[in-house]
Amino acid sequence: MELTKTGIPGLDELLGGGIPTGWTTILSGAPGCGKTCLSVGYLVEGINKYNESGIFCSFNESRKELFLTQQSFGYDLEKLEKTGRLKILDFSYGRALGEGQLALQQTKVDLPALTKSIKESINEINAKRLVIDPLTIISLLFDNIREVRYNFLRFFDVIRRFGVTSLAITESSYSKEFTVEEFLAAGIIRLYNERLGSKRQRGIEIVKMRGINHKRGLFPLSITSQGIIISPEVEMLSG
Ligand SMILES: Nc1ncnc2c1ncn2[C@@H]1O[C@H](COP(=O)(O)OP(=O)(O)OP(=O)(O)O)[C@@H](O)[C@H]1O
Ligand SMILES: [Mg+2]
């Protein structure tokens, strides 16, 4: 299987080389776990180390907010966007109208419009990497679980035909339950920020990665002013 290196220090060793090229991998975790930071790192490293352009499709943070928040990790997204190797698709305007289906309908962000816009952007900068932050928002477009499943399957299929390797973020709580899109995706990377006494400990786990012999277990992760660093040699003791 062809693999795409994430370029995040330590992560490709955990993955057994990288994430499956051309497929969608889910990146999930609770609030503040580092999902956006890691996914931006995937795009920035793609540009800087592997000469692969990337699209960041954002539903939570606006372009301006991303420029600001990602500076904290040493990422200058404004500069990268100006070089034409990064493109941010800012869908954050739905946020102002409130949560849920109504807000998305009012802003006319339906699945065909979204996929069209992604496709045009991919063609425009010849992108090889795609991030959707968060994919969870798409499930709000549909009324029942059957429709959600059908549309996610279709969406993953369409994205696959665009020839990009995708990281799609899902927002999960600390519960052990898995979401529909996690069953459908080629792989799942989970981030943790668990409380141990008066402290919190960050961690990462490869839950599944189809066709890849990846490392198993929970490994320490640090968020730094140079982005995310993972220690693939030190397995964490589970409590
Ligand atoms: N320079 C820094 N060094 C260390 N940690 C930082 C730094 N800047 C931010 N952080 C930490 O990173 C966290 C934000 O990470 P990020 O936005 O990637 O999380 P997220 O999982 O996307 O959160 P959300 O669910 O809210 O979207 C902050 O809450 C903060 O704890
Ligand atoms: Mg985020």
Side-chain angles (χ1 to χ4, degrees):
M1 179 173 277
E2 196 188 333
L3 300 177
T4 290
K5 285 191 192 300
T6 64
I8 308 280
L11 182 55
D12 294 318
E13 281 164 83
L14 272 193
L15 286 162
I19 54 176
T21 301
W23 297 87
T24 299
T25 293
I26 297 276
L27 176 62
S28 77
C33 276
K35 303 180 294 295
T36 301
C37 174
L38 193 149
S39 63
V40 167
Y42 165 67
L43 295 184
V44 172
E45 299 297 354
I47 293 165
N48 292 338
K49 287 190 187 153
Y50 309 110
N51 201 22
E52 291 187 349
S53 299
I55 311 282
F56 191 92
C57 191
S58 183
F59 290 97
N60 277 351
E61 292 174 71
S62 69
R63 169 181 278 101
K64 276 199 173 149
E65 285 165 344
L66 280 169
F67 286 167
L68 206 63
T69 57
Q70 301 310 298
Q71 272 174 15
S72 181
F73 312 117
Y75 302 135
D76 189 343
L77 299 190
E78 191 168 10
K79 193 168 142 197
L80 280 178
E81 212 179 22
K82 279 191 184 134
T83 67
R85 293 182 298 166
L86 171 77
K87 186 161 173 153
I88 296 169
L89 291 176
D90 182 350
F91 288 111
S92 67
Y93 48 78
R95 219 176 41 175
L97 296 165
E99 286 295 319
Q101 201 175 4
L102 190 63
L104 287 163
Q105 280 167 357
Q106 280 169 344
T107 54
K108 310 241 182 309
V109 181
D110 60 6
L111 211 46
L114 178 68
T115 40
K116 184 168 176 274
S117 159
I118 291 174
K119 185 172 192 247
E120 284 168 2
S121 302
I122 289 170
N123 291 343
E124 189 186 321
I125 65 165
N126 189 25
K128 298 285 175 238
R129 298 178 183 223
L130 169 71
V131 168
I132 299 170
D133 184 8
L135 184 71
T136 317
I137 212 107
I138 293 174
S139 58
L140 301 176
L141 288 164
F142 306 102
D143 293 322
N144 59 59
I145 191 73
R146 207 183 303 162
E147 268 190 55
V148 169
R149 193 183 170 95
Y150 170 74
N151 279 286
F152 270 129
L153 259 180
R154 247 184 33 171
F155 183 64
F156 287 161
D157 261 3
V158 171
I159 295 279
R160 182 149 167 66
R161 274 184 258 132
F162 295 165
V164 285
T165 305
S166 313
L167 260 191
I169 292 175
T170 64
E171 295 170 330
S172 62
S173 62
Y174 290 108
S175 78
K176 304 284 179 258
E177 278 178 28
F178 290 101
T179 54
V180 175
E181 56 273 29
E182 288 182 316
F183 283 101
L184 301 176
I188 307 172
I189 301 172
R190 265 209 174 181
L191 302 184
Y192 297 89
N193 188 20
E194 300 277 356
R195 200 162 71 108
L196 291 170
S198 62
K199 288 190 175 156
R200 280 192 185 266
Q201 171 82 58
R202 294 191 189 278
I204 186 167
E205 179 184 20
I206 314 301
V207 180
K208 76 167 184 184
M209 206 55 67
R210 286 183 193 149
I212 299 179
N213 186 13
H214 58 85
K215 286 197 184 180
R216 268 154 249 276
L218 200 58
F219 294 84
L221 171 152
S222 320
I223 302 184
T224 76
S225 50
Q226 276 93 48
I228 279 180
I229 298 171
I230 292 152
S231 312
E233 306 307 333
V234 196
E235 201 172 342
M236 283 159 85
L237 293 173
S238 57

